[in-house]
């Protein structure tokens, strides 16, 4: 009965320690993400332009979010959204494996100096972090969050180690790890299963280190378990890819192929090494030893396999070929890839940067509508009017999707500045959509103008052309404020809006005089007045766009 009670308490202690470890890792990752949020757009641009730097970015992002599984899921989202191709994704995935080693090095700090031991560092970090979080400004709160997470991580590690101490002299545990050391397949399976269940290689390595701190784990068992952990970490991405397109599924498969290939190579090498160095394999592994092997494995695996990235991509394409019809023609899974993929929400900084790009594309489509309206009016081309209607539907759908996505981002753990950006983007897409609505209004007016075979006077034609140019230029300038964060242009947009207001008043007055003098067709005159009214409202929304951008500061 006493043994059963001890077992139950041990299980509870291990679960509690693991929970604290995972929660601390999550809090630390949230704080790091908030701190790095403003740099995510730059990292995203690196990802899409240089596959070599993609390895570094993958390592950096994983070090920030403390999970190679989360990074790989995010990469699957990027591929599904069309932001990355498979070759670029391969570099990021390889880098993610390197970045995940940072957690094991944090855990092994206690072996370097007594004041870095979890029992000393955990309460100190939690206390300092809590003070900064409660009493600091936004920047200090983020730093406090990171330090609190650091403290909780160490508390979890300490709790797991203390829970296992009664078994320190247990021959059963020693025999179990010796068996795994003598049987590579068993050791790899144990590492794989544990990591697949908790879906975090960082956490499973942390568990291994907590047991190793008691001197129970020999070197050979630790090596095989770590190799299995690197395969187990692929499970999260494979599950995530289940609802993605075929290209994204291939990205998850590349992750699996990469880790399996590395595991096979290192397993064969390790078996040969331990066969000729049996004494070394039986030596208890240290926490730092685990960190060293974990790092060597992931770095070496990347160095060896990175030159074969294209071959990994080709293999994934062969294993997951395109679906074909009976006639043999390939079926395109999606003509329009949904860029706002929910997998990217794992990193709000990246999600916001991706959303900004989508907002700018929505703005470019709206700018195209303004140009088409002017072209349709001058060339009397009804086909151009139809294009405005088609593009306006796309803008409407984009506004709805982006709004829903921004709401989901807002539900994530984001910094105060990121929250301001989300709010500003919500206002911005509303203004862009309203401008597109005014384009549609103008297109309908122009369609009536064409079909009724109406004509403006030469003076009226020049006036409407001038105003259309002014408003379109002002909108593009407002979008550039958002695109480049160049707030010097904001004042220019506001001045131009004042000029448009004055022009609208002057043109309305002059045109009413022309109508009174029968110098212009009445039906055409009504359309003229409605056109300049819509243009003036477009210019109002331009000011709203730059003010929304300014509100982020």
């Amino acid at each position: 009965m006493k043994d059963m009670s001890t077992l139950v308490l041990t299980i509870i202690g291990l679960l509690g320690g693991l929970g604290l470890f995972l929660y601390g890792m999550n809090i630390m990752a949230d704080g790091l993400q908030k701190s790095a949020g403003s740099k995510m757009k730059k990292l995203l641009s690196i990802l899409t332009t240089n596959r070599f730097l993609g390895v570094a970015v993958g390592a950096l992002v994983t070090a920030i979010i403390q999970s190679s599984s989360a990074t790989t899921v995010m990469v699957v989202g990027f591929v599904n959204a069309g932001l990355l191709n498979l070759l670029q994704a391969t570099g990021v995935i390889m880098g993610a494996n390197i970045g995940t080693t940072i957690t094991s090095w944090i855990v092994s700090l206690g072996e370097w100096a007594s004041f870095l031991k979890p029992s000393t560092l955990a309460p100190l970090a939690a206390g300092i972090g809590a003070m900064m979080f409660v009493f600091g400004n936004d920047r200090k709160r983020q730093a406090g969050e990171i330090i609190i997470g650091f403290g909780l991580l160490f508390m979890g590690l300490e709790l797991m180690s203390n829970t296992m101490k009664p078994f320190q002299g247990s021959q059963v545990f020693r025999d179990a790890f010796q068996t795994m050391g003598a049987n590579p397949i068993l050791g790899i399976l144990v590492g794989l299963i544990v990591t697949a269940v908790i879906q975090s290689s960082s956490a499973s390595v942390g568990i291994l280190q907590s047991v190793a701190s008691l001197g129970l784990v020999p070197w050979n068992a630790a090596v095989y378990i770590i190799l299995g952990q690197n395969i187990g970490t692929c499970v999260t991405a494979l599950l995530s890819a289940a609802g993605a397109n075929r290209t994204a599924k291939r990205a998850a498969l590349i992750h699996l192929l990469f880790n399996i290939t590395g595991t096979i190579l290192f397993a064969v090498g390790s078996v040969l090494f331990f066969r000729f160095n049996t004494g070394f394999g039986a030596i208890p592994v240290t926490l730092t030893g685990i960190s060293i092997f974990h790092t060597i494995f992931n770095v070496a695996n990347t160095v060896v396999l990175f030159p074969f990235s294209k071959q990994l991509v080709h293999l994934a394409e062969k294993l997951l070929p395109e679906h074909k019809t009976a006639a043999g023609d390939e079926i395109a899974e999606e003509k329009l890839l949904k860029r706002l993929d929910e997998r990217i929400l794992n990193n709000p900084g990246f999600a916001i940067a991706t959303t900004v790009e989508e907002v700018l594309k929505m703005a470019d489509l709206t700018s195209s509508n303004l140009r088409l309206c002017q072209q349709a009016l001058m060339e009397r081309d009804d086909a151009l009017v139809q294009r405005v209607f088609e593009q306006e539907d796309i803008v409407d759908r984009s506004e709805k999707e982006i709004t829903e996505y921004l709401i989901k981002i807002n539900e994530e753990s984001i910094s105060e500045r990121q929250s301001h950006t989300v709010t500003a983007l919500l206002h911005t897409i509303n203004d862009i959509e309203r401008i597109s609505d005014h384009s549609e209004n103008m297109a309908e007016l122009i369609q009536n103008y064409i079909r009724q075979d109406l004509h403006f006077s030469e003076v009226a034609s020049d006036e409407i052309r001038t105003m259309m140019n002014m408003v379109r230029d002002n909108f593009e300038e407002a979008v550039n404020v958002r695109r480049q964060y160049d707030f010097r242009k904001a004042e220019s947009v506001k001045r131009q809006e004042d000029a448009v207001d004055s022009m609208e008043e002057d043109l309305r007055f002059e045109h009413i005089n022309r109508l009174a003098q029968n110098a212009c067709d009445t039906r055409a005159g009504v359309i003229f007045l409605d056109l300049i009214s819509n243009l003036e409202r477009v210019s109002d929304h331009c000011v709203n766009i730059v003010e929304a951008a300014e509100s982020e500061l």
Side-chain angles (χ1 to χ4, degrees), residues 200-329:
S200 171
S201 61
S202 297
S204 62
V205 171
I207 294 171
L208 180 63
Q209 287 179 300
S210 68
V211 178
S213 68
L214 304 175
L216 294 174
V217 186
W219 257 102
N220 50 13
V223 165
Y224 299 135
I225 291 170
I226 290 169
L227 294 177
Q229 289 168 338
N230 278 274
I231 298 176
T233 195
C234 301
V235 170
T236 310
L238 290 169
L239 292 172
S240 172
N245 62 35
R246 187 156 294 269
T247 307
K249 287 183 173 73
R250 289 170 179 163
L253 180 59
I254 287 170
H255 186 213
L256 180 63
L257 291 172
F258 171 66
N259 282 5
I260 286 178
T261 303
T263 295
I264 291 172
L265 291 174
F266 265 79
V268 171
S270 299
V271 168
L272 293 174
F273 176 81
F274 291 128
R275 178 167 293 180
F276 293 104
N277 296 272
T278 52
F280 182 80
I283 296 173
V285 70
T286 62
L287 275 66
T288 305
I290 289 173
S291 300
I292 290 171
F293 177 76
H294 192 212
T295 303
I296 288 174
F297 168 73
N298 285 298
V299 171
N301 199 21
T302 298
V303 170
V304 171
L305 293 181
F306 185 77
F308 301 98
S309 297
K310 290 182 181 178
Q311 285 74 15
L312 280 172
V313 171
H314 292 323
L315 180 57
E317 288 172 345
K318 283 186 177 181
L319 293 173
L320 279 176
E322 293 287 350
H323 288 305
K324 295 188 177 181
T325 62
D329 296 325

Side-chain angles (χ1 to χ4, degrees), residues 77-138:
F78 284 144
V79 173
N80 190 57
L83 291 167
L84 291 179
N85 61 40
L86 281 176
L87 200 56
Q88 292 165 332
T90 302
V92 182
I93 289 168
M94 291 179 177
N97 278 22
I98 296 172
T100 196
T101 62
I102 189 69
T103 310
S104 65
W105 284 107
I106 292 172
V107 171
S108 63
L109 285 174
E111 284 189 337
W112 303 355
S114 58
F115 69 89
L116 293 176
K117 286 184 177 179
S119 56
T120 306
L121 222 57
L124 182 64
I128 293 172
M131 294 289 284
M132 291 175 70
F133 186 79
V134 173
F135 300 108
N137 55 26
D138 190 44

